[in-house]
Structures are given as C-alpha cells and as structure tokens.
Amino acid sequence: MGIGRRLGLQLGRNEPCWCGSGKKYKSCHLSFDERIDRIRDQGHVVPSHELLKTREQIEGIKESAKRNIAILDYVASRIGPGISTQEIDDWVVMKTKEFGAVAATLGYEDFPKSVCTSINNQVCHGIPDSEDILEEGDIINVDCSTIYNGYVSDSSRMFLIGEVEPEVKQFVEDVHEAVNVGLREIKPWRFLGDMGSAINAFCRSKGYSVVEEIGGHGCGVEFHEEPWVSYVSKPGEEMLMVPGLCFTVEPMVNMGARHIFEDEDNGWTIYTEDGSLSAQWEVQIVVTDEGYELLTW
Ligand code: MF3
Ligand code: CO
C-alpha cells in the first residue's frame, strides 16, 4: 500500500482538519484517520473522506428527510383500494412541489415518474400508471426520493390495501422487522456485512429469500453514492462503517425464491421470477459515534 494513499497524509498535524471543525488536524481527526488506515491495512474496504458527512451536510439531509417523510405520510393517509398508482405519483408531485423540493427519480437515468410503486410480485422500480388500480388484498411498496436544497433523502414503505391475507400481512411485518434487525448491527468500526448478514439470516429463518442483485446505497449529497449495500453479505466484510457514513437500509425480500427479472418493455420494473410476493421497507441512516441516527421512516 503506497503511503500516499493513506487517508490523512496530505494534511500536516497543525493544519485545519478536513472535517471543517476549524480545529488542528492533530487534535481532531488524526487518530480517527490512523484507525481507518490500520483497518485498511488489514485488507478491508474503508470509506473515503468524501463519503463522510459533515454536521452541516447532515443538517441539510435531515431537512430533506423531513419532507420525504411528510410526502409518504400524505400517501399513507390516502392510499387504498381503487387508487391508481398514477394518483400516487400525482400526490408525490403535488406535495414535493408544495415543500419546495424536487423528486430525485424523475428523469433519473430516464425514469419517467416522481415515485416508484411496486405491487405484489413487483420487487422494485414499478412505474406509476393510471391503468394500475390497487385492489383489496394487494401489497404495494411506495419508494420516494427527495431532493431539498441540494440534499437527498430516500425512503420507502409498504402499504396493505384493504384486508390482506394473514400470511401476507405477517410477511410485510417480518420484512419491516428485518430492517430493525439490520439497524441493530449498525455501529461505528464494524462492517456493512455485519448488518447485511443479519438481515439475510433473519429473512431465511422465516423462510423468505433476499434479492442479491439490487441493494442499498450511500445517499445524501448524491442520490446514489458509494457504498453499494448488500443484504446478503458476510460478517466482517464490505465497507467499514464510521461516523458520518450515510446510507440506506432497504432489503428486497421475496416470499419465494430470490430470483428476479426485469420488464423488457419498460426497462425498469423488477419482478420475482416465480411470481411470489416481494416486500421492501427503506430507511436512510447516518452512522454516529454511538451507533446510528435514523433520518427517514
Ligand atoms: N428509491 C430507489 C432507490 O432506493 C430509486 C431507484 S432509481 C429509480 O434507490 F429511478 F428507479 F427511481
Ligand atoms: Co434507495
């Protein structure tokens, strides 16, 4: 490992710290950087400084997240049987505008709408459509990504449409619990794989499977930042978590097999290969000195 690639080397001990605190490097993040360097030297993936959010950035992301949550709260208050997924998009467009925000998905890699709506066997990236009408017994994921004042927030929730079968309701609740199981593993100086493997183990113990090809992501300054986040990873593997790292926890869980395919016509919507139901909840967090702080949900 070339010494020039070490995290703090470009800074002198008495120079101002890279974190923007105004303190000298030696009395601010020097030992933090040395700790990261040691872990990298052991062969682990570690985050660059650019991924670690400053206090100011975290405040900005929180302002964005407040609006993101409020948009989904609005959806929650109106969704039900007979509603089309296009109406959900209309609500998101209206509320996003009212809050002075921008929908991150609209135009993102040519995605055509302001929210993703994924029903039943759709895993993710469902495209709102006036012909897709919610029916009693359906389950749907509504995934909302919001930019406010340049900061990005991202979260999604499941909704049960009218009365759903008890087994399906249990599945949706279990996937919610899977996120909590993952969150408990988020602590600084541990690895993303500790979180991902806990989610996978929990889901498998319930007889479900976790989608491998699509995962979570860093988020906050850009919509999709490093790291890519797997929920089928191994303990002690993947990126080191350190305070300031901001990412989503959003496992996609299938009631049947994990295999998926993409809609060839729209190039977006992902379905379960075996037609089984899929559920997902998404939260965005920032790693703190003690553990993590929940930004959305
Ligand atoms: N909110 C989704 C995510 O978690 C957005 C996927 S990109 C889109 O990353 F274009 F499909 F919206
Ligand atoms: Co996301």
Side-chain angles (χ1 to χ4, degrees), residues 120-121 272-277:
N120 296 336
N121 59 329
T272 57
E273 198 173 272
D274 61 7
S276 67
L277 296 176

Side-chain angles (χ1 to χ4, degrees), residues 32-265:
F32 175 90
D33 282 348
E34 285 171 347
R35 187 170 181 184
I36 293 178
D37 281 338
R38 280 197 298 277
I39 295 168
R40 183 189 11 220
D41 288 349
Q42 290 161 10
H44 292 288
V45 181
V46 301
S48 65
H49 287 158
E50 292 78 68
L51 296 182
L52 307 182
K53 306 296 181 271
T54 64
R55 195 170 304 175
E56 189 188 330
Q57 287 171 325
I58 292 168
E59 287 314 309
I61 297 166
K62 283 183 180 170
E63 286 303 310
S64 177
K66 271 190 217 162
R67 288 153 179 86
N68 178 271
I69 294 166
I71 294 165
L72 279 175
D73 285 346
Y74 186 82
V75 171
S77 71
R78 313 203 127 214
I79 199 166
I83 293 293
S84 76
T85 52
Q86 180 57 51
E87 283 172 87
I88 299 171
D89 191 70
D90 294 343
W91 301 335
V92 170
V93 168
M94 180 189 67
K95 282 292 170 193
T96 303
K97 189 157 182 255
E98 184 185 315
F99 295 149
V102 172
T105 49
L106 185 64
Y108 173 81
E109 292 184 7
D110 292 332
F111 190 81
K113 299 284 173 172
S114 296
V115 65
C116 297
T117 50
S118 307
I119 305 172
N120 296 336
N121 59 329
Q122 295 179 336
V123 175
C124 63
H125 304 167
I127 302 176
D129 192 305
S130 54
E131 303 208 336
D132 290 334
I133 314 285
L134 296 175
E135 290 173 18
E136 184 94 12
D138 283 343
I139 60 171
I140 181 174
N141 173 274
V142 179
D143 190 338
C144 185
S145 314
T146 308
I147 309 173
Y148 179 74
N149 196 19
Y151 292 105
V152 194
S153 51
D154 192 7
S155 75
S156 81
R157 300 182 199 169
M158 294 299 296
F159 297 102
L160 305 173
I161 305 304
E163 283 291 311
V164 305
E165 285 172 41
E167 189 198 15
V168 175
K169 184 164 185 262
Q170 186 64 50
F171 169 56
V172 171
E173 284 171 9
D174 287 341
V175 178
H176 188 275
E177 181 55 20
V179 172
N180 284 324
V181 165
L183 289 174
R184 276 181 224 128
E185 301 302 316
I186 301 181
K187 297 183 182 92
W189 313 107
R190 296 191 51 202
F191 298 92
L192 282 175
D194 300 332
M195 181 270 296
S197 59
I199 288 180
N200 193 26
F202 177 80
C203 292
R204 291 179 71 116
S205 77
K206 300 277 177 188
Y208 312 135
S209 59
V210 178
V211 171
E212 295 193 4
E213 298 89 335
I214 314 173
H217 51 98
C219 187
V221 173
E222 306 284 341
F223 184 10
H224 291 130
E225 304 174 0
E226 273 193 84
W228 186 75
V229 184
S230 166
Y231 308 102
V232 292
S233 38
K234 305 257 173 345
E237 294 190 358
E238 309 292 329
M239 189 180 278
L240 175 72
M241 297 187 277
V242 300
L245 190 67
C246 189
F247 60 90
T248 64
V249 180
E250 51 172 319
M252 294 164 206
V253 184
N254 299 346
M255 236 173 149
R258 68 170 184 82
H259 307 284
I260 56 173
F261 70 92
E262 185 181 283
D263 187 313
E264 277 183 18
D265 295 328

